[in-house]
Amino acid sequence: MKRAIRTYSRDFVAIIGLILVAALVSGYILTNQRLTLPGWVPVVGKDFYTVTGAFSTAQAVTPGQGQTVDIAGVQVGQIAKVKLENGLAIITMNLDEKYRGRVYRNASALLRPRTGLRDMIVDLSPGTATARSLPEGGRIPVSETLPDVNFDEILASLDTDTRDYLQILLGSGGDGLRGQGVALRRALKRFEPTGSALRKVNEGLAERRENIRRVIHNFSLLTQELGEKDDDIARFVDASNAVFSSLASQDENLRATVRALPSALTATQQGLGKVDRFASELGPTLSSLRPTARALGPSLRQTRPFLRTTTPVLRDEIRPFSRRAQPFVAELRPTMRDLARVTPDLTASFKVLNALFNTLAYNPPGDKEEGYLFWLSWANHVTNTLFINQDAHGPVRRGIVVISCASLQVLDQVTVSNRLLATLIGLLNSPQTNEVCAPTGTTTPAGTATPAPTATATPAPATAAAAEAEGR
């Protein structure tokens, strides 16, 4: 195969070229013949939104010849197929995909020639959105379609005499207008403003006739009602006479009222201007209050039990207390006035105290620093360690009492001479004199006198008695 292709390479290239030229020519011809492929064909495929219409006749309709479907003069598709079904011509219309769902069940269709050569189009009216959309393959009924009407059909609907008169009229008109086309065109052009004016006049007359008909109808209804209410009308006339008589008697007052009316209108205008400004502010305010008003109803329903409970308290306790307190309140007024004069100074003082308390209570952010209250609690804890609770007499301040031997001897003498003081001295739990003090007048090995030592609260290591004195 490769050897043959190399041998006949020129012929092979010529055949490939002919195939490409044939493909291009075929594509061009098919494009101009409006050939469309199904949507599943890639690139050149196209989907359509298909609807059908039932017509009493489909004369001059030829599918595949580019006969279009128009909406308001814009092409939206083409006539795809025509078939006979139960004596009706069913025309299938392929609309562009973008018009899917935009043709409704109350749509209508007309067959109209585009030119005098009878190349037909379907003039489609899509209907209104109040009706549901026409589904894929949906049908427009024959009651909503009209075929093209030929001129001979119009003539066939006339009787023989009318056709003869029409032929005479057309023949005479042709003889009279032969060679006068330009003059006739100019004459008709001059009548164009008159025709426009006459159209407006006719429209006005038609509207006037409709209004006159309505007025006459309403006047007849009014006359009928007045005829049935003649007694009421008589009473109304009598009452009107009485009203006018009263107005005549108040003529001077009415004049004064009319004279005062301009100033009243001026004041009213100023008041309405202020009310307008107030309303301009009130509108946004009320709009902002709407959520509060909506939430107020449930809140009031929830407060009903509280109000029922507090009503007897207000009626039987707080109200009598308020009445009895009124004399005292009257006497407190001078004091309150004096207090009001010093209130600014008190306010300034409380602001300073408030700043002080805020400073004490402030806790700095983070874990490294603490506020004053933290250290105050630590100070309380440290202070509490100065006291113990193991004594029967409660918390006691720990301390050291230093007593000299001379003081212990004085205490011993007081204990012997006064029993009451002896009890208090015993509560001191002081050490015994003979335990901590040497006998008076003892000498050292050198023969020198040793002074009497001083007793302290530090416990002696060789004695069993406690040397620590506790004082309150």
Side-chain angles (χ1 to χ4, degrees):
M1 176 65 71
K2 293 181 180 180
R3 181 181 299 174
I5 292 175
R6 285 195 297 269
T7 303
Y8 302 101
S9 58
R10 293 183 179 181
D11 297 335
F12 180 76
V13 172
I15 292 172
I16 295 299
L18 290 174
I19 293 174
L20 292 176
V21 171
L24 292 175
V25 172
S26 300
Y28 178 78
I29 294 173
L30 293 176
T31 301
N32 285 273
Q33 289 297 321
R34 300 178 180 87
L35 176 65
T36 56
L37 298 177
W40 52 266
V41 178
V43 181
V44 295
K46 186 177 181 181
D47 290 327
F48 291 101
Y49 169 44
T50 303
V51 296
T52 61
F55 291 83
S56 59
T57 178
Q59 59 176 346
V61 175
T62 307
Q65 297 297 320
Q67 294 181 340
T68 61
V69 180
D70 295 352
I71 295 178
V74 178
Q75 180 179 345
V76 297
Q78 294 183 358
I79 298 176
K81 184 171 61 174
V82 178
K83 65 178 181 178
L84 183 63
E85 184 178 309
N86 297 327
L88 297 176
I90 307 300
I91 299 178
T92 302
M93 295 168 279
N94 287 339
L95 307 183
D96 293 341
E97 182 65 22
K98 63 182 179 180
Y99 298 104
R100 181 179 296 275
R102 298 185 180 181
V103 178
Y104 304 97
R105 294 183 181 273
N106 57 354
S108 59
L110 305 177
L111 275 176
R112 291 290 181 265
R114 185 186 297 273
T115 64
L117 299 177
R118 308 290 291 173
D119 49 343
M120 306 300 292
I121 65 170
V122 176
D123 189 4
L124 180 64
S125 176
T128 59
T130 55
R132 291 182 298 173
S133 299
L134 200 64
E136 176 74 19
R139 178 172 297 181
I140 302 174
V142 68
S143 59
E144 299 296 331
T145 61
L146 286 176
D148 183 37
V149 179
N150 296 323
F151 186 72
D152 56 352
E153 294 179 3
I154 299 175
L155 295 177
S157 62
L158 303 176
D159 56 14
T160 305
D161 295 336
T162 305
R163 285 199 299 269
D164 294 339
Y165 292 146
L166 182 60
Q167 291 175 0
I168 294 172
L169 176 62
L170 294 176
S172 301
D175 294 336
L177 296 175
R178 184 177 295 113
Q180 302 294 327
V182 177
L184 179 62
R185 179 174 59 82
R186 293 176 180 175
L188 294 177
K189 189 174 182 180
R190 292 190 184 97
F191 277 108
E192 182 178 358
T194 304
S196 300
L198 289 176
R199 180 176 60 82
K200 295 179 180 179
V201 171
N202 291 331
E203 291 176 354
L205 290 176
E207 184 178 0
R208 179 174 177 272
R209 185 169 69 175
E210 181 65 21
N211 293 336
I212 291 174
R213 185 187 63 80
R214 190 181 299 110
V215 167
I216 293 174
H217 176 70
N218 295 335
F219 185 74
S220 64
L221 295 178
L222 177 62
T223 305
Q224 183 178 358
E225 291 294 330
L226 291 177
E228 296 175 355
K229 305 293 183 181
D230 52 350
D231 296 335
D232 296 337
I233 294 174
R235 287 193 295 270
F236 173 74
V237 172
D238 295 337
S240 300
N241 291 332
V243 170
F244 289 133
S245 300
S246 300
L247 291 176
S249 62
Q250 300 294 328
D251 180 60
E252 194 64 32
N253 295 331
L254 289 175
R255 289 181 180 179
T257 302
V258 172
R259 285 194 298 268
L261 186 60
S263 58
L265 291 176
T266 302
T268 302
Q269 185 177 4
Q270 295 175 355
L272 290 177
K274 296 178 180 179
V275 169
D276 180 60
R277 293 194 295 272
F278 173 72
S280 300
E281 297 293 334
L282 185 61
T285 304
L286 293 179
S287 299
S288 302
L289 289 176
R290 284 181 179 177
T292 305
R294 295 189 185 100
L296 187 60
S299 301
L300 292 177
R301 284 193 293 271
Q302 293 176 1
T303 55
R304 284 176 183 173
F306 170 75
L307 296 176
R308 293 191 184 98
T309 305
T310 56
T311 298
V313 177
L314 294 174
R315 183 183 62 244
D316 302 333
E317 298 180 12
I318 297 180
R319 185 182 295 174
F321 171 76
S322 300
R323 291 174 180 172
R324 294 174 184 174
Q326 287 179 356
F328 301 99
V329 173
E331 295 179 0
L332 286 175
R333 287 179 180 173
T335 305
M336 297 303 295
R337 283 195 295 268
D338 297 337
L339 182 61
R341 285 194 294 269
V342 301
T343 296
D345 299 333
L346 290 175
T347 302
S349 301
F350 282 119
K351 286 182 178 179
V352 174
L353 291 176
N354 186 30
L356 175 61
F357 292 147
N358 288 338
T359 303
L360 293 176
Y362 175 71
N363 186 17
D367 300 333
K368 297 183 179 180
E369 297 183 3
E370 298 294 340
Y372 291 108
L373 292 182
F374 176 81
W375 300 114
L376 180 62
S377 63
W378 269 104
N380 182 32
H381 176 70
V382 173
T383 304
N384 192 34
T385 59
L386 298 176
F387 299 90
I388 60 174
N389 295 323
Q390 296 178 356
D391 190 70
H393 299 288
V396 186
R397 180 72 177 271
R398 295 179 61 124
I400 299 175
V401 178
V402 181
I403 303 175
S404 64
C405 291
S407 300
L408 288 176
Q409 293 175 0
V410 173
L411 290 177
D412 291 341
Q413 294 175 3
V414 172
T415 302
V416 173
S417 61
N418 193 331
R419 293 184 176 181
L420 293 177
L421 293 177
T423 302
L424 295 176
I425 293 171
L427 293 176
L428 292 176
N429 196 18
S430 60
Q432 298 295 323
T433 304
N434 54 5
E435 293 177 353
V436 296
C437 297
T440 305
T442 60
T443 60
T444 61
T448 59
T450 302
T454 301
T456 63
T458 304
T463 61
E468 182 180 333
E470 298 177 353
R472 294 185 181 278

Short mmCIF file of all heavy atoms in Angstrom, two decimals, residues 72-115:
data_model
loop_
_atom_site.label_atom_id
_atom_site.label_comp_id
_atom_site.label_asym_id
_atom_site.label_seq_id
_atom_site.Cartn_x
_atom_site.Cartn_y
_atom_site.Cartn_z
N ALA A 72 -43.85 39.63 15.64
CA ALA A 72 -43.70 41.08 15.52
C ALA A 72 -42.70 41.45 14.44
O ALA A 72 -41.92 42.40 14.56
CB ALA A 72 -43.29 41.70 16.87
N GLY A 73 -42.69 40.67 13.33
CA GLY A 73 -41.81 40.96 12.21
C GLY A 73 -40.40 40.45 12.36
O GLY A 73 -39.59 40.66 11.46
N VAL A 74 -40.09 39.75 13.46
CA VAL A 74 -38.74 39.21 13.70
C VAL A 74 -38.79 37.70 13.53
O VAL A 74 -39.65 37.03 14.10
CB VAL A 74 -38.26 39.57 15.12
CG1 VAL A 74 -36.88 38.98 15.37
CG2 VAL A 74 -38.23 41.08 15.31
N GLN A 75 -37.86 37.17 12.71
CA GLN A 75 -37.84 35.74 12.46
C GLN A 75 -37.40 35.00 13.72
O GLN A 75 -36.37 35.29 14.32
CB GLN A 75 -36.88 35.41 11.32
CG GLN A 75 -36.80 33.91 11.00
CD GLN A 75 -35.87 33.61 9.85
OE1 GLN A 75 -35.52 34.53 9.12
NE2 GLN A 75 -35.49 32.37 9.70
N VAL A 76 -38.21 34.01 14.15
CA VAL A 76 -37.91 33.23 15.34
C VAL A 76 -37.81 31.74 15.02
O VAL A 76 -37.49 30.94 15.90
CB VAL A 76 -38.99 33.45 16.42
CG1 VAL A 76 -39.00 34.89 16.86
CG2 VAL A 76 -40.38 33.04 15.91
N GLY A 77 -38.10 31.34 13.77
CA GLY A 77 -38.02 29.93 13.40
C GLY A 77 -38.44 29.72 11.97
O GLY A 77 -38.57 30.67 11.19
N GLN A 78 -38.68 28.43 11.62
CA GLN A 78 -39.05 28.07 10.26
C GLN A 78 -40.17 27.03 10.30
O GLN A 78 -40.37 26.34 11.31
CB GLN A 78 -37.86 27.50 9.51
CG GLN A 78 -36.74 28.49 9.25
CD GLN A 78 -35.62 27.87 8.44
OE1 GLN A 78 -35.66 26.70 8.10
NE2 GLN A 78 -34.62 28.69 8.11
N ILE A 79 -40.90 26.96 9.14
CA ILE A 79 -41.92 25.94 8.98
C ILE A 79 -41.22 24.63 8.64
O ILE A 79 -40.49 24.54 7.65
CB ILE A 79 -42.92 26.33 7.88
CG1 ILE A 79 -43.66 27.62 8.28
CG2 ILE A 79 -43.92 25.22 7.62
CD1 ILE A 79 -44.59 28.15 7.21
N ALA A 80 -41.44 23.60 9.45
CA ALA A 80 -40.71 22.34 9.29
C ALA A 80 -41.52 21.29 8.54
O ALA A 80 -40.96 20.53 7.74
CB ALA A 80 -40.29 21.80 10.66
N LYS A 81 -42.83 21.24 8.77
CA LYS A 81 -43.60 20.13 8.20
C LYS A 81 -45.06 20.52 8.16
O LYS A 81 -45.54 21.29 8.99
CB LYS A 81 -43.39 18.86 9.05
CG LYS A 81 -44.06 17.62 8.48
CD LYS A 81 -43.61 16.38 9.28
CE LYS A 81 -44.00 16.48 10.73
NZ LYS A 81 -43.71 15.22 11.48
N VAL A 82 -45.79 19.95 7.16
CA VAL A 82 -47.23 20.13 7.04
C VAL A 82 -47.85 18.75 6.82
O VAL A 82 -47.36 17.97 5.99
CB VAL A 82 -47.60 21.07 5.87
CG1 VAL A 82 -49.11 21.19 5.75
CG2 VAL A 82 -46.98 22.44 6.06
N LYS A 83 -48.91 18.46 7.56
CA LYS A 83 -49.61 17.19 7.37
C LYS A 83 -51.10 17.41 7.56
O LYS A 83 -51.54 18.42 8.14
CB LYS A 83 -49.10 16.14 8.36
CG LYS A 83 -49.39 16.46 9.81
CD LYS A 83 -48.89 15.35 10.72
CE LYS A 83 -49.21 15.66 12.19
NZ LYS A 83 -48.76 14.58 13.09
N LEU A 84 -51.90 16.47 7.03
CA LEU A 84 -53.35 16.52 7.10
C LEU A 84 -53.81 15.63 8.26
O LEU A 84 -53.41 14.47 8.36
CB LEU A 84 -53.98 16.04 5.79
CG LEU A 84 -55.51 16.11 5.70
CD1 LEU A 84 -55.99 17.55 5.81
CD2 LEU A 84 -56.00 15.47 4.40
N GLU A 85 -54.68 16.18 9.08
CA GLU A 85 -55.16 15.42 10.24
C GLU A 85 -56.61 15.82 10.51
O GLU A 85 -56.88 16.99 10.88
CB GLU A 85 -54.28 15.71 11.46
CG GLU A 85 -54.65 14.89 12.69
CD GLU A 85 -53.73 15.18 13.86
OE1 GLU A 85 -52.50 15.12 13.68
OE2 GLU A 85 -54.24 15.50 14.95
N ASN A 86 -57.54 14.89 10.30
CA ASN A 86 -58.97 15.11 10.55
C ASN A 86 -59.49 16.33 9.79
O ASN A 86 -60.27 17.14 10.31
CB ASN A 86 -59.25 15.28 12.04
CG ASN A 86 -58.91 14.03 12.83
OD1 ASN A 86 -59.04 12.91 12.33
ND2 ASN A 86 -58.45 14.21 14.07
N GLY A 87 -59.05 16.49 8.54
CA GLY A 87 -59.53 17.58 7.70
C GLY A 87 -58.88 18.91 7.99
O GLY A 87 -59.29 19.92 7.39
N LEU A 88 -57.88 18.96 8.86
CA LEU A 88 -57.19 20.20 9.19
C LEU A 88 -55.73 20.06 8.78
O LEU A 88 -55.14 18.98 8.80
CB LEU A 88 -57.28 20.50 10.69
CG LEU A 88 -58.67 20.73 11.26
CD1 LEU A 88 -58.60 20.92 12.78
CD2 LEU A 88 -59.33 21.95 10.62
N ALA A 89 -55.15 21.19 8.41
CA ALA A 89 -53.73 21.23 8.07
C ALA A 89 -52.94 21.52 9.34
O ALA A 89 -53.12 22.58 9.97
CB ALA A 89 -53.47 22.30 7.01
N ILE A 90 -52.05 20.59 9.70
CA ILE A 90 -51.24 20.75 10.91
C ILE A 90 -49.85 21.18 10.46
O ILE A 90 -49.14 20.44 9.78
CB ILE A 90 -51.17 19.44 11.72
CG1 ILE A 90 -52.59 18.91 11.99
CG2 ILE A 90 -50.39 19.65 13.00
CD1 ILE A 90 -53.45 19.87 12.76
N ILE A 91 -49.47 22.41 10.84
CA ILE A 91 -48.18 22.98 10.48
C ILE A 91 -47.26 22.88 11.69
O ILE A 91 -47.58 23.37 12.77
CB ILE A 91 -48.32 24.44 10.02
CG1 ILE A 91 -49.22 24.52 8.76
CG2 ILE A 91 -46.96 25.06 9.74
CD1 ILE A 91 -49.44 25.95 8.28
N THR A 92 -46.11 22.21 11.47
CA THR A 92 -45.10 22.09 12.53
C THR A 92 -44.09 23.22 12.38
O THR A 92 -43.55 23.44 11.29
CB THR A 92 -44.39 20.73 12.44
OG1 THR A 92 -45.36 19.69 12.55
CG2 THR A 92 -43.36 20.59 13.56
N MET A 93 -43.85 23.94 13.48
CA MET A 93 -42.96 25.11 13.46
C MET A 93 -41.79 24.84 14.41
O MET A 93 -41.99 24.51 15.58
CB MET A 93 -43.71 26.37 13.91
CG MET A 93 -44.84 26.78 12.96
SD MET A 93 -45.92 28.03 13.66
CE MET A 93 -46.98 27.01 14.69
N ASN A 94 -40.59 24.96 13.86
CA ASN A 94 -39.36 24.84 14.66
C ASN A 94 -38.89 26.23 15.06
O ASN A 94 -38.42 27.01 14.22
CB ASN A 94 -38.26 24.12 13.86
CG ASN A 94 -38.54 22.64 13.72
OD1 ASN A 94 -39.30 22.07 14.50
ND2 ASN A 94 -37.92 22.00 12.73
N LEU A 95 -39.02 26.55 16.36
CA LEU A 95 -38.58 27.85 16.87
C LEU A 95 -37.20 27.71 17.49
O LEU A 95 -36.79 26.63 17.93
CB LEU A 95 -39.57 28.37 17.93
CG LEU A 95 -41.05 28.42 17.52
CD1 LEU A 95 -41.88 29.01 18.64
CD2 LEU A 95 -41.23 29.23 16.25
N ASP A 96 -36.46 28.81 17.52
CA ASP A 96 -35.13 28.80 18.13
C ASP A 96 -35.24 28.43 19.60
O ASP A 96 -36.23 28.74 20.28
CB ASP A 96 -34.46 30.17 17.98
CG ASP A 96 -34.15 30.48 16.51
OD1 ASP A 96 -34.12 29.53 15.71
OD2 ASP A 96 -33.97 31.67 16.18
N GLU A 97 -34.20 27.79 20.12
CA GLU A 97 -34.21 27.27 21.49
C GLU A 97 -34.40 28.39 22.52
O GLU A 97 -34.99 28.16 23.59
CB GLU A 97 -32.90 26.51 21.76
CG GLU A 97 -32.80 25.87 23.12
CD GLU A 97 -33.82 24.76 23.31
OE1 GLU A 97 -34.30 24.20 22.29
OE2 GLU A 97 -34.15 24.45 24.46
N LYS A 98 -33.93 29.60 22.24
CA LYS A 98 -34.03 30.66 23.22
C LYS A 98 -35.47 31.13 23.45
O LYS A 98 -35.74 31.85 24.41
CB LYS A 98 -33.18 31.85 22.78
CG LYS A 98 -33.61 32.49 21.47
CD LYS A 98 -32.68 33.62 21.11
CE LYS A 98 -33.06 34.27 19.77
NZ LYS A 98 -32.15 35.39 19.42
N TYR A 99 -36.40 30.72 22.55
CA TYR A 99 -37.80 31.09 22.73
C TYR A 99 -38.60 30.00 23.44
O TYR A 99 -39.83 30.08 23.51
CB TYR A 99 -38.46 31.40 21.37
CG TYR A 99 -37.82 32.57 20.68
CD1 TYR A 99 -36.95 32.37 19.60
CD2 TYR A 99 -38.06 33.86 21.10
CE1 TYR A 99 -36.35 33.44 18.96
CE2 TYR A 99 -37.46 34.94 20.46
CZ TYR A 99 -36.61 34.73 19.39
OH TYR A 99 -36.03 35.80 18.77
N ARG A 100 -37.92 29.00 23.97
CA ARG A 100 -38.61 27.92 24.68
C ARG A 100 -39.29 28.49 25.95
O ARG A 100 -38.68 29.21 26.73
CB ARG A 100 -37.63 26.82 25.08
CG ARG A 100 -38.28 25.65 25.81
CD ARG A 100 -37.24 24.58 26.14
NE ARG A 100 -36.68 23.99 24.92
CZ ARG A 100 -37.25 22.99 24.26
NH1 ARG A 100 -38.39 22.46 24.71
NH2 ARG A 100 -36.69 22.51 23.18
N GLY A 101 -40.53 28.14 26.11
CA GLY A 101 -41.29 28.61 27.26
C GLY A 101 -41.84 30.01 27.11
O GLY A 101 -42.48 30.52 28.04
N ARG A 102 -41.62 30.67 25.96
CA ARG A 102 -42.13 32.03 25.74
C ARG A 102 -43.34 32.08 24.83
O ARG A 102 -43.77 33.16 24.44
CB ARG A 102 -41.02 32.91 25.17
CG ARG A 102 -39.84 33.05 26.11
CD ARG A 102 -38.82 34.02 25.58
NE ARG A 102 -37.68 34.14 26.48
CZ ARG A 102 -36.64 34.95 26.27
NH1 ARG A 102 -36.61 35.71 25.18
NH2 ARG A 102 -35.65 35.00 27.13
N VAL A 103 -43.85 30.93 24.44
CA VAL A 103 -45.11 30.83 23.69
C VAL A 103 -46.13 30.20 24.64
O VAL A 103 -45.88 29.14 25.21
CB VAL A 103 -44.95 29.98 22.41
CG1 VAL A 103 -46.28 29.87 21.68
CG2 VAL A 103 -43.89 30.59 21.51
N TYR A 104 -47.28 30.87 24.82
CA TYR A 104 -48.25 30.48 25.85
C TYR A 104 -49.48 29.84 25.21
O TYR A 104 -49.67 29.87 23.99
CB TYR A 104 -48.62 31.71 26.69
CG TYR A 104 -47.41 32.37 27.30
CD1 TYR A 104 -46.82 33.48 26.69
CD2 TYR A 104 -46.82 31.88 28.46
CE1 TYR A 104 -45.70 34.09 27.23
CE2 TYR A 104 -45.71 32.47 29.02
CZ TYR A 104 -45.14 33.57 28.40
OH TYR A 104 -44.03 34.16 28.93
N ARG A 105 -50.32 29.29 26.06
CA ARG A 105 -51.48 28.54 25.57
C ARG A 105 -52.52 29.41 24.89
O ARG A 105 -53.37 28.90 24.16
CB ARG A 105 -52.12 27.77 26.73
CG ARG A 105 -51.22 26.68 27.30
CD ARG A 105 -51.92 25.90 28.41
NE ARG A 105 -51.06 24.89 28.97
CZ ARG A 105 -50.93 23.66 28.51
NH1 ARG A 105 -51.64 23.30 27.44
NH2 ARG A 105 -50.12 22.80 29.09
N ASN A 106 -52.51 30.73 25.13
CA ASN A 106 -53.45 31.63 24.46
C ASN A 106 -52.81 32.30 23.23
O ASN A 106 -53.22 33.38 22.81
CB ASN A 106 -53.96 32.69 25.42
CG ASN A 106 -52.83 33.49 26.05
OD1 ASN A 106 -51.67 33.18 25.84
ND2 ASN A 106 -53.17 34.53 26.80
N ALA A 107 -51.79 31.65 22.64
CA ALA A 107 -51.14 32.18 21.45
C ALA A 107 -52.07 32.02 20.23
O ALA A 107 -52.99 31.18 20.22
CB ALA A 107 -49.82 31.45 21.21
N SER A 108 -51.80 32.84 19.21
CA SER A 108 -52.57 32.78 17.95
C SER A 108 -51.58 32.85 16.78
O SER A 108 -50.46 33.35 16.93
CB SER A 108 -53.58 33.93 17.87
OG SER A 108 -52.92 35.18 17.94
N ALA A 109 -52.02 32.34 15.61
CA ALA A 109 -51.14 32.29 14.43
C ALA A 109 -51.94 32.63 13.19
O ALA A 109 -53.12 32.24 13.06
CB ALA A 109 -50.50 30.90 14.29
N LEU A 110 -51.31 33.39 12.27
CA LEU A 110 -51.93 33.79 11.00
C LEU A 110 -50.98 33.40 9.87
O LEU A 110 -49.76 33.55 9.97
CB LEU A 110 -52.18 35.30 10.97
CG LEU A 110 -53.00 35.92 12.11
CD1 LEU A 110 -53.07 37.43 11.93
CD2 LEU A 110 -54.41 35.34 12.12
N LEU A 111 -51.56 32.91 8.74
CA LEU A 111 -50.81 32.65 7.52
C LEU A 111 -50.90 33.89 6.63
O LEU A 111 -52.00 34.34 6.28
CB LEU A 111 -51.37 31.43 6.78
CG LEU A 111 -50.85 30.06 7.22
CD1 LEU A 111 -51.57 28.97 6.45
CD2 LEU A 111 -49.35 29.97 6.98
N ARG A 112 -49.72 34.46 6.30
CA ARG A 112 -49.70 35.68 5.50
C ARG A 112 -48.61 35.55 4.43
O ARG A 112 -47.55 34.97 4.67
CB ARG A 112 -49.38 36.90 6.39
CG ARG A 112 -50.50 37.25 7.36
CD ARG A 112 -51.70 37.80 6.60
NE ARG A 112 -52.78 38.17 7.51
CZ ARG A 112 -53.79 37.38 7.81
NH1 ARG A 112 -53.86 36.16 7.29
NH2 ARG A 112 -54.73 37.77 8.62
N PRO A 113 -48.87 36.09 3.21
CA PRO A 113 -47.83 36.09 2.18
C PRO A 113 -46.83 37.21 2.43
O PRO A 113 -47.22 38.34 2.78
CB PRO A 113 -48.61 36.31 0.89
CG PRO A 113 -49.83 37.05 1.32
CD PRO A 113 -50.16 36.58 2.71
N ARG A 114 -45.53 36.90 2.28
CA ARG A 114 -44.52 37.93 2.46
C ARG A 114 -44.52 38.90 1.28
O ARG A 114 -44.36 40.11 1.45
CB ARG A 114 -43.15 37.28 2.64
CG ARG A 114 -42.03 38.28 2.97
CD ARG A 114 -40.67 37.59 2.99
NE ARG A 114 -40.63 36.59 4.03
CZ ARG A 114 -40.30 36.83 5.31
NH1 ARG A 114 -40.01 38.07 5.67
NH2 ARG A 114 -40.27 35.85 6.18
N THR A 115 -44.68 38.36 0.08
CA THR A 115 -44.71 39.17 -1.15
C THR A 115 -45.88 38.69 -2.01
O THR A 115 -46.62 37.77 -1.64
CB THR A 115 -43.39 39.05 -1.92
OG1 THR A 115 -43.24 37.69 -2.36
CG2 THR A 115 -42.20 39.45 -1.06
#
